Amino acid sequence: HLVVAALIGAAPCVCRAVDGVSLELGTSDSSNADVNMARVGLQWKWGKRWDVSQNWAIGGYWDLSLGYWDNRTSPALRTGGSIVDIGLTPTFRLQSTDTSGTGPYAEAAIGFHLLSRTSVSTQRDFGSAFQFGDHFGVGVRFGPRGAYDLGYRYQHLSNAGIRGPNQGINFHQVRFQYHF
């Protein structure tokens, strides 16, 4: 029910034009869950910005994503195949206000994810298909109008104890985004 409510709440964002597209590639950081992931996304800016200094501001965007987790866990530990991941994440971004659009940023977010499977190994069971996904990232925007964005994210997914077991998974990700 929470996911349906989040999607309905995001409907006004989806009705506006897409502001960006992204590609993320990553790998899990656990020895008992060898998972590579790839994710594509669409982004919509919030249209609100809070200046924190003359050179920096906090803004944000909605990130709607579709991902694929390639489960490469040892066959002796593997509990299932690959996973499809659908996510919706509101993301806060602290970014340089350089008028060229070029500059560094840091971002943080907590969003919602639905997984097609609830485990990847005997020691990595997520407990439910519904997961929270939080991340911290750093990167740089560059190019004409700051149209390109290259960054690093550390992401954790778990169900926050809604249903056991709640072993979660962490990913190191490289992310490329193009802003329209």
Side-chain angles (χ1 to χ4, degrees), residues 17-65:
V18 172
D19 294 312
V21 294
S22 63
L23 172 66
E24 298 170 34
L25 301 173
T27 187
S28 62
D29 68 356
S30 174
S31 62
N32 56 20
D34 183 10
V35 179
N36 291 332
M37 61 86 68
R39 191 180 288 148
V40 293
L42 301 173
Q43 294 78 40
W44 292 268
K45 294 178 190 171
W46 293 346
K48 180 74 174 155
R49 185 176 103 171
W50 300 274
D51 292 331
V52 294
S53 75
Q54 183 177 355
N55 300 320
W56 293 91
I58 295 175
Y61 60 92
W62 286 99
D63 190 6
L64 180 64
S65 63

Side-chain angles (χ1 to χ4, degrees), residues 57-77:
I58 295 175
Y61 60 92
W62 286 99
D63 190 6
L64 180 64
S65 63
L66 176 64
Y68 177 79
W69 301 6
D70 182 20
N71 188 0
R72 303 172 55 83
T73 303
S74 162
L77 297 175

